């Protein structure tokens, strides 16, 4: 298994794996509005390629703002149906979080299942509001530096395209 940063040429293969793993209409989810016209954080977007060069798993991250503070939005993460249950998502999540911490990001959030993400240290975020309709119980956060979510609340908003390209995406 080869773990590598997603290259621009991988984009459509990664999209195809997301289409395979998620229900149709995934891009209608409110979290996708935070990604519109904003480049992902390239150094945190990772691909797992298997021995036959097939894409086994992927993760992407976007820069966002929460109550005016910068944060990472984890996801989407997906593992090919034939490779699920082997710990590949865990590998992608742990490795990308390690890189995020090393790059100086302070906090990360996602919209997902608490029973799955709590194993990585994610907790429910109180007072952090995703664009509707989002079940607040699925809004989860992790501090990459101690106390990074303390006092951070409010609406989750898009990083501006310009800020994403010049500051948020590369320089937390
Ligand atoms: C969720 C997903 C990424 C997990 O990938 P994976 O490589 O199979 O995950 P791992 O092998 O690291 O972990 C598997 C474990 O997580 C558990 N798990 C998976 N999804 C879960 C969920 N939604 N809630 C609770 N536990 C979950 C499995 O039961 C398994 O438990 P075990 O370790 O006790 O056997 C994969 O199933 C997938 O691509 N699903 C479709 C897309 C998706 O839902 N992505 C997440 C969006 S929030």
């Amino acid at each position: 298994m080869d773990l590598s940063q997603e290259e621009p040429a991988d984009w459509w293969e990664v999209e195809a794996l997301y289409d395979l793993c998620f229900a149709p209409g995934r891009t209608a989810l409110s979290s996708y509005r935070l990604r519109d016209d904003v480049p992902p954080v390239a150094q945190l977007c990772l691909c797992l390629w298997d021995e036959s060069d097939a894409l086994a798993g992927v993760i992407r991250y976007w820069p966002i703002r929460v109550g005016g503070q910068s944060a990472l939005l984890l996801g989407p993460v997906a593992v090919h149906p034939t490779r699920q249950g082997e710990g590949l998502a865990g590998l992608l999540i742990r490795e990308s979080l390690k890189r995020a911490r090393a790059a100086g990001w302070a906090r990360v959030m996602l919209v997902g299942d608490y029973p799955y993400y709590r194993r990585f240290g994610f907790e429910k975020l109180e007072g952090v509001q995703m664009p509707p309709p989002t079940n607040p119980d699925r809004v989860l956060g992790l501090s990459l530096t101690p106390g990074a979510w303390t006092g951070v609340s409010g609406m989750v908003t898009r990083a501006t395209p310009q800020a994403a390209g010049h500051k948020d995406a590369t320089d937390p």
Side-chain angles (χ1 to χ4, degrees):
M1 200 67 71
D2 175 59
L3 178 82
S4 53
Q5 192 175 313
E6 181 185 335
E7 301 289 337
D10 302 329
W11 181 270
W12 292 109
E13 203 167 347
V14 174
E15 286 290 311
L17 184 56
Y18 287 137
D19 285 343
L20 181 68
C21 294
F22 286 94
R26 64 183 172 90
T27 60
L29 294 171
S30 62
S31 54
Y32 277 81
R33 301 294 71 78
L34 298 168
R35 300 176 176 121
D36 287 341
D37 302 323
V38 180
V41 183
Q43 69 183 139
L44 302 179
C45 297
L46 304 178
C47 294
L48 270 174
W49 301 93
D50 75 8
E51 301 68 30
S52 51
D53 276 344
L55 193 54
V58 288
I59 192 166
R60 283 177 175 160
Y61 285 79
W62 264 263
I64 50 165
R65 316 278 306 168
V66 182
Q69 304 281 320
S70 82
L72 283 171
L73 179 68
L74 184 159
V77 54
V79 168
H80 194 280
T82 60
R83 304 302 302 248
Q84 290 177 8
E86 298 177 26
L88 299 184
L91 178 68
L92 286 165
I93 292 167
R94 288 197 177 86
E95 178 60 29
S96 55
L97 289 175
K98 195 170 88 181
R99 294 183 187 200
R101 194 177 283 114
W105 291 90
R107 62 190 74 80
V108 50
M109 63 163 290
L110 60 83
V111 180
D113 291 336
Y114 177 62
Y116 181 65
Y117 288 102
R118 70 178 163 199
R119 70 193 66 191
F120 308 105
F122 283 87
E123 299 283 351
K124 285 177 197 168
L125 280 179
E126 304 295 338
V128 171
Q129 291 147 20
M130 282 288 291
T134 304
N135 178 347
D137 288 341
R138 291 172 55 78
V139 179
L140 311 177
L142 174 74
S143 295
L144 298 174
T145 58
W149 277 109
T150 306
V152 179
S153 61
M155 281 300 293
V156 183
T157 54
R158 224 164 45 120
T160 65
Q162 205 178 17
H166 295 103
K167 180 173 182 300
D168 291 334
T170 53
D171 180 15

